[in-house]
């Protein structure tokens, strides 16, 4: 097993998952294409992974890590509900 990359921290990992969920919800453009679209299946999966991490790491996080994870989950869940009310997965026009 190789040594973990020192730049990979729990906060950077969570931030990457949050960015992915934000792209899937349509809040952020896809970094590769620049297109904003909604993919509720992938957004739901990313939120589920974040929820699982929150549950499995409860009591083992620093205050900053806990606040980031809890705040991101709350915001993403609300945005997911809002996006799902607008219909199925779709391209978002500017």
């Amino acid at each position: 097993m190789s040594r973990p990359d020192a730049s990979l921290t729990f906060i950077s990992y969570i931030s990457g998952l949050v960015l992915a969920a934000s792209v899937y919800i349509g809040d952020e453009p896809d970094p590769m294409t620049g297109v904003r679209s909604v993919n509720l299946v992938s957004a739901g999966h990313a939120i589920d992974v974040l929820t699982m991490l929150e549950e499995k790491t409860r009591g083992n996080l620093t205050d900053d890590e806990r606040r980031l994870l809890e705040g991101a989950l709350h915001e993403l869940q609300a945005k997911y509900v809002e996006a799902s009310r607008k219909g199925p997965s779709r391209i978002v026009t500017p």
Side-chain angles (χ1 to χ4, degrees):
M1 180 181 221
S2 63
R3 287 185 83 170
D5 183 347
S7 66
L8 179 62
T9 64
F10 188 75
I11 287 179
S12 67
Y13 182 66
I14 295 303
S15 296
L17 290 172
V18 170
L19 176 60
S22 296
V23 168
Y24 297 139
I25 288 174
D27 273 1
E28 297 290 330
D30 182 309
M32 299 299 286
T33 65
V35 174
R36 285 183 42 192
S37 63
V38 176
N39 181 330
L40 294 177
V41 172
S42 294
H45 179 70
I47 292 168
D48 288 346
V49 170
L50 287 164
T51 300
M52 178 199 58
L53 287 170
E54 193 261 339
E55 291 170 0
K56 295 289 186 180
T57 60
R58 191 170 290 137
N60 292 313
L61 301 177
T62 66
D63 287 341
D64 287 342
E65 292 168 338
R66 183 186 50 76
R67 277 192 296 272
L68 172 67
L69 186 51
E70 288 175 358
L73 264 173
H74 177 75
E75 184 175 334
L76 287 169
Q77 288 166 337
K79 288 181 177 187
Y80 179 89
V81 169
E82 181 182 324
S84 65
R85 288 185 181 142
K86 295 178 181 177
S89 299
R90 64 201 175 279
I91 301 294
V92 178
T93 55

